[in-house]
Amino acid sequence: MITLELTEEEIGTLIEALGDWMEQPARDDTPEWLRRQSAGADLDMDLREAFNRRHDGWDAAINTAATAEDTFIQAGIDAREQIKETSRAATRREQRRAQAISDGNPDPSNDPVDW
């Protein structure tokens, strides 16, 4: 990846040149030429987007969205853990573990008989 600093005039020149190049008749139908035409179209759209969105705060929105996504995922993990701690199944597991320990089996979860 290469980062370039371009003036508005330079970006306009590149967009215009790409448009002229893509309007030319195809030299041939080889996969390489078709790939370059597709790459040129993608580059044209990327340049237009970068030029027209440079002042809209899009980068800040991406960072905010990533933070919101992380917060959302962590909230789900925390809720799941809270439910596991307070569930009846968890209570039954603890009761079985306590009973097994009192019966002399120190760790019933690792007893191959229970696998």
Side-chain angles (χ1 to χ4, degrees):
M1 171 120 6
I2 298 173
T3 303
L4 299 173
E5 291 187 24
L6 302 170
T7 65
E8 290 182 17
E9 182 180 358
E10 291 169 334
I11 291 174
T13 301
L14 284 172
I15 291 171
E16 188 176 330
L18 278 169
D20 291 345
W21 177 69
M22 288 186 302
E23 289 176 2
Q24 292 179 1
R27 288 189 242 163
D28 51 41
D29 290 334
T30 63
E32 179 62 20
W33 173 252
L34 297 175
R35 185 192 66 75
R36 286 182 180 214
Q37 286 288 92
S38 177
D42 290 343
L43 179 57
D44 178 71
M45 295 308 293
D46 290 344
L47 285 169
R48 290 175 188 274
E49 182 179 10
F51 180 72
N52 292 308
R53 298 193 83 162
R54 66 189 182 282
H55 300 301
D56 69 356
W58 178 250
D59 292 338
I62 290 172
N63 292 333
T64 302
T67 302
E69 181 180 327
D70 293 342
T71 302
F72 179 76
I73 291 170
Q74 188 59 49
I77 291 169
D78 294 344
R80 206 171 323 120
E81 291 299 321
Q82 184 180 9
I83 288 172
K84 286 196 303 189
E85 291 172 2
T86 60
S87 73
R88 285 185 269 169
T91 304
R92 287 192 301 270
R93 280 191 299 274
E94 288 303 317
Q95 289 172 346
R96 282 195 305 266
R97 172 175 256 126
Q99 181 63 41
I101 290 172
S102 68
D103 291 344
N105 186 358
D107 192 359
S109 62
N110 280 334
D111 188 348
V113 172
D114 295 332
W115 292 354

